[in-house]
Amino acid sequence: MEMVRKVAVMCVARAVMFGTLGIGCTMFAFAYDPPAAFRCGAILTLMMAGILILKAHYVLRQKPRNTEVWIYLDERTRPREPEAVKRYAAVLREVYGQAARIAFAVSCALFVISALMLAAGMELQGFQSIPR
């Protein structure tokens, strides 16, 4: 099951990386208002954590053949017996849960950074016209 864990971590980490790339691009779009950028990042990261929790919950109902991890495993490391399939699902659930915990911690950190920026007075006062 160690090979399954390594492949599962790779697959989930890659998916989280692409999600993080999207979140980072969205935060960059709010560069004119840093507290809003961090708040936006916190909300989107919290949504990602929720999706990972749902994936961890539904992995027990999912057929192993319908997972990305299954594709990357060679024939000899794929689970065959029912007990191995249960352990396979447990490993996937653990990996999704770990990624969700990390995403939740990052989300909390982004919320704290946003709150500290607002407390420091870094609030956007609106666009002002340039004097001519």
Side-chain angles (χ1 to χ4, degrees):
M1 283 292 139
E2 192 58 36
M3 184 63 171
V4 172
R5 183 178 313 280
K6 287 180 182 178
V7 172
V9 167
M10 179 198 66
C11 291
V12 172
R14 184 177 58 225
V16 169
M17 180 208 47
F18 280 118
T20 304
L21 177 66
I23 291 169
C25 289
T26 306
M27 289 175 65
F28 185 71
F30 285 100
Y32 63 90
D33 188 7
F38 282 99
R39 195 169 38 246
C40 171
I43 291 168
L44 292 175
T45 307
L46 190 60
M47 288 174 57
M48 182 168 59
I51 291 168
L52 288 167
I53 289 170
L54 286 174
K55 291 285 286 181
H57 178 72
Y58 287 113
V59 77
L60 298 176
R61 296 183 182 138
Q62 191 175 20
K63 293 179 184 177
R65 294 181 194 273
N66 296 339
T67 62
E68 183 183 4
V69 176
W70 184 271
I71 296 169
Y72 288 107
L73 293 174
D74 56 356
E75 282 294 323
R76 62 182 176 80
T77 56
R78 289 180 179 166
R80 303 238 183 271
E81 336 45 76
E83 183 62 33
V85 171
K86 288 180 184 177
R87 287 194 316 247
Y88 175 83
V91 166
L92 280 177
R93 187 174 187 168
E94 180 185 335
V95 170
Y96 279 127
Q98 184 179 14
R101 280 191 301 270
I102 292 169
F104 182 72
V106 169
S107 176
C108 290
L110 291 172
F111 269 126
V112 167
I113 292 171
S114 174
L116 290 175
M117 286 180 160
L118 287 174
M122 291 185 67
E123 192 170 358
L124 185 65
Q125 300 298 325
F127 293 106
Q128 298 176 2
S129 61
I130 300 172
R132 295 181 188 211

